[in-house]
Amino acid sequence: MEETTRPAIPDTLASVSTSAGSAQLAPTANDTPAGLTSAGSAQLAPTANDPLSVTAALELAKGLLENISLSIIGEVSELSDKPGYRAVYFTLSDQASALPCVIWRNVYDRQGLELRQGMLVEVTGRFTLYAAKGRMNFDVRIIKPVGEGDLRVKVAALARKLEAEGLMAASRKRPIPRMPERVGLVTSPRGKAVHDVLRTLRRRWPLAEILLAGVAVEGDNAPEQMIMGLSHVQANSPEVILLVRGGGSYEDLMPFNDERLARAVAASPIPIVTGIGHEPDTSIVDMVSDFRASTPTAAAEQVSPDRTELMAWLLDCAKRIDSDLISYFDRLSERLSRQATHPVFTDNEHMLRSRLLSLEHSQQRLLLAGDNLTTPFAAAISRLAAQLQALSPIQVLARGYALATGADGRLIRRVSNTEPGANLTVRLVDGSLVTEVRAVIPESMQTAFNYPEQTIPADADINPDGPTIHS
Amino acid sequence: MTDIKELSYRQASEELEAVLRQLESSQLELEESLERYERGVALLRELQGRLAQAQQKVSVLLGEVEPESDDSVDASLS
């Protein structure tokens, strides 16, 4: 049972392993020499004076190692899980040591666990020795997670802290300029990433000037260097900054989980696009940047329009601008022919008619105004007529005065204007008397005034109630 | 009107878009439409020229860029 599930790596190992199979060794160093004698054949017994062949020595070691079944806790630091391979390889490590491990595909598939770098796991299995290379592996039969890896725990805690501060909020993410004139680039001056970016920008958007800060992106001082790189680039006011590096292990990418760098990225006055590594893990710097691209090339594409597309657009514009002008002229001439059919041009009397109408209207208004013109004067005239009537001598007659006129019809104003025997017509208010002057009696004004009644003879044929009319 | 040479690529292409919109509307005087057309054509030529002839300028502020090599970093196990 044990034999069948155990992977038979190379044939040589398998055969040696069966030959040494009966050995019962406790996993303590002290016991090994003692146990060995009971287990092995005589030829394999180690003695100081009796040198062994390499094969024999490794067979001996194999016998010692391969029956030790044990459990180990460590962090998965390197991982190769390629489809089609019969086994998954990884390294289990702590601060001081590293152990190459192998787990056969069929065993791995039964574990229900997806191994990731940085994961803390407990593995159960045994050591195996590959004699052809003298290499030791740990052959894993059972693997289970032990919480999260130390590094991952720390990174996750920092991520939660920065998220709580709002540094990852979608509202903080700024738009990425589409046609930047200047692009900052902070990355390692060595390796693939810098060239991936330069090549992509050269192909797509050569109009941009690139400001490159080549800094360390791996190792203890990488965060500090990248912060310095960012500030150098920022001082030259690009429109957008690329912060990129190529793929690497989780540990390699640790500088991108640095709190100081994350804060510098979040505080950048210029939008930052990250393209870090090729693995699905997202770093904290990715989370606080304005845009996270999956790779350096993708980051470069994010900040650059495609020159080919721009060329196509310009060609399209060239066609549009010509057809626009042509259709503009078409519209103009259409409007012109529409205007040409206006009654103004087609009906000779059109203009005249409207003017006649307006003339008639004016005439009406003028007539009306003329009618109204005399009204105030008529009123003044009747007022004057009333006044005139009030002043009429007829009214004076009504008060008892009389008018005397001679035969010639002239008014007799003075006694000297007549003589005895003359005929006078005396007009009263209700008619006239025809009289004859019998005597003329001149009189001074004063006397006449004082004694009016005595100036007229008692038989005078004039009105006895009033004096002679004075003129 | 700004000298086309002084416009950024983006400004020039935005202005070109605006010229096209103006020509498509019927709001222009005839003289104005001709003037807009000429401006549009000048913008187009400038943009095409810039795209065709652009040489990327790279200013290295920090570090020294190594020429591209084939031994790229590959951390995965082989």
Side-chain angles (χ1 to χ4, degrees):
Chain A
M1 172 73 188
E2 173 87 75
E3 295 294 329
T4 50
T5 56
R6 203 178 60 206
I9 315 178
D11 287 338
T12 47
L13 274 187
S15 62
V16 177
S17 139
T18 37
S19 70
S22 56
Q24 296 296 316
L25 297 179
T28 48
N30 292 347
D31 291 342
T32 33
L36 200 67
T37 33
S38 69
S41 52
Q43 300 99 293
L44 290 180
T47 56
N49 303 331
D50 197 0
L52 298 175
S53 67
V54 175
T55 305
L58 284 172
E59 278 178 2
L60 176 63
K62 245 177 125 52
L64 295 173
L65 279 172
E66 294 196 343
N67 285 300
I68 308 170
S69 178
L70 71 168
S71 297
I72 309 169
I73 287 181
E75 194 177 298
V76 178
S77 60
E78 284 178 350
L79 176 64
S80 171
D81 176 8
K82 293 179 181 163
Y85 279 63
R86 290 179 59 213
V88 174
Y89 301 90
F90 61 95
T91 302
L92 201 62
S93 55
D94 59 16
Q95 282 87 350
S97 310
L99 174 66
C101 297
V102 59
I103 182 165
W104 294 95
R105 180 67 67 185
N106 58 343
V107 180
Y108 179 64
D109 288 345
R110 280 202 300 272
Q111 306 297 313
L113 172 77
E114 197 191 340
L115 274 182
R116 285 190 314 177
Q117 294 193 30
M119 192 180 267
L120 195 64
V121 292
E122 180 185 322
V123 295
T124 304
R126 62 184 186 104
F127 291 106
T128 58
L129 195 66
Y130 178 35
K133 293 278 184 185
R135 238 177 235 165
M136 185 183 72
N137 283 322
F138 191 74
D139 176 15
V140 178
R141 281 185 291 113
I142 300 165
I143 183 164
K144 55 187 180 186
V146 181
E148 277 190 287
D150 210 26
L151 277 180
R152 285 180 186 273
V153 170
K154 280 187 196 152
V155 168
L158 177 59
R160 278 193 296 273
K161 177 177 156 191
L162 297 185
E163 188 175 20
E165 288 181 31
L167 297 189
M168 298 175 189
S171 59
R172 290 189 85 252
K173 313 263 180 225
R174 289 163 288 197
I176 307 305
R178 212 165 63 84
M179 297 177 179
E181 285 185 74
R182 282 182 155 196
V183 176
L185 173 57
V186 178
T187 189
S188 167
R190 282 175 288 279
K192 237 163 109 336
V194 65
H195 293 290
D196 284 349
V197 170
L198 292 178
R199 196 185 315 109
T200 305
L201 291 178
R202 195 162 54 238
R203 174 170 54 83
R204 290 170 61 91
W205 188 233
L207 273 72
E209 181 190 356
I210 298 172
L211 306 165
L212 170 62
V215 295
V217 295
E218 204 172 314
D220 289 344
N221 63 349
E224 210 173 293
Q225 286 219 9
M226 285 190 275
I227 292 168
M228 185 177 69
L230 283 176
S231 76
H232 269 77
V233 163
Q234 282 160 353
N236 288 277
S237 309
E239 284 170 59
V240 63
I241 297 173
L242 301 175
L243 177 59
V244 304
R245 73 149 282 166
S249 71
Y250 189 77
E251 287 76 8
D252 290 342
L253 299 180
M254 273 310 284
F256 292 90
N257 290 317
D258 182 88
E259 182 170 354
R260 290 165 300 165
L261 179 60
R263 289 192 184 281
V265 167
S268 171
I270 295 157
I272 292 184
V273 174
T274 49
I276 299 162
H278 296 283
E279 67 166 60
D281 277 314
T282 301
S283 73
I284 289 185
V285 165
D286 279 325
M287 296 181 218
V288 299
S289 73
D290 294 278
F291 186 88
R292 186 223 163 196
S294 55
T295 62
T297 302
E301 284 169 354
Q302 193 59 39
V303 303
S304 57
D306 187 346
R307 174 158 58 163
T308 321
E309 282 171 23
L310 291 179
M311 282 291 199
W313 182 75
L314 286 175
L315 273 181
D316 184 52
C317 282
K319 284 186 201 134
R320 265 172 74 197
I321 198 167
D322 282 339
S323 72
D324 283 351
L325 194 72
I326 289 167
S327 65
Y328 176 76
F329 284 155
D330 285 349
R331 283 197 301 275
L332 278 188
S333 72
E334 192 187 316
R335 195 190 305 163
L336 205 57
S337 39
R338 213 168 43 239
Q339 285 164 340
T341 62
H342 192 273
V344 167
F345 301 113
T346 53
D347 179 0
N348 288 339
E349 285 178 15
H350 178 82
M351 304 268 285
L352 208 56
R353 237 190 339 260
S354 69
R355 285 183 191 189
L356 271 174
L357 273 174
S358 104
L359 202 57
E360 275 173 21
H361 181 64
S362 298
Q363 187 185 20
Q364 299 261 326
R365 285 173 62 199
L366 193 62
L367 285 174
L368 196 61
D371 286 349
N372 292 334
L373 207 56
T374 56
T375 313
F377 297 102
I381 284 169
S382 57
R383 202 163 54 244
L384 286 173
Q387 281 175 11
L388 200 60
Q389 202 189 356
L391 295 172
S392 162
I394 305 300
Q395 296 294 317
V396 180
L397 297 184
R399 296 210 301 269
Y401 292 83
L403 285 171
T405 50
D408 58 358
R410 293 177 66 174
L411 197 61
I412 305 299
R413 295 173 180 269
R414 298 182 186 280
V415 289
S416 59
N417 289 6
T418 189
E419 54 188 3
N423 290 322
L424 299 180
T425 303
V426 177
R427 175 145 183 212
L428 303 180
V429 70
D430 56 349
S432 297
L433 303 173
V434 179
T435 62
E436 188 184 308
V437 178
R438 300 227 305 257
V440 174
I441 307 160
E443 206 170 357
S444 76
M445 285 292 284
Q446 194 174 9
T447 316
F449 195 76
N450 288 339
Y451 305 104
E453 284 176 356
Q454 290 166 10
T455 60
I456 299 167
D459 57 346
D461 199 8
I462 51 172
N463 187 358
D465 295 336
T468 311
I469 286 172
H470 305 282
S471 58
Chain B
M1 201 169 297
T2 321
D3 187 352
I4 289 178
K5 298 277 176 206
E6 284 168 25
L7 294 174
S8 73
Y9 187 94
R10 185 172 48 207
Q11 287 169 330
S13 85
E14 280 166 3
E15 195 184 327
L16 174 58
E17 187 71 72
V19 166
L20 287 167
R21 275 199 306 274
Q22 287 172 327
L23 283 175
E24 274 154 6
S25 79
S26 303
Q27 310 299 316
L28 297 175
E29 297 291 334
L30 178 62
E31 296 77 6
E32 211 182 348
S33 79
L34 287 172
E35 181 270 322
R36 293 280 77 198
Y37 175 77
E38 278 170 18
R39 176 76 173 175
V41 169
L43 286 164
L44 245 164
R45 294 227 171 98
E46 173 71 16
L47 288 171
Q48 282 173 326
R50 281 198 209 176
L51 267 191
Q53 288 156 25
Q55 295 283 325
Q56 194 134 53
K57 187 179 164 203
V58 179
S59 312
V60 180
L61 307 177
L62 281 177
E64 206 167 307
V65 182
E66 279 187 0
E68 198 165 8
S69 60
D70 289 329
D71 52 318
S72 51
V73 181
D74 188 359
S76 64
L77 296 179
S78 45

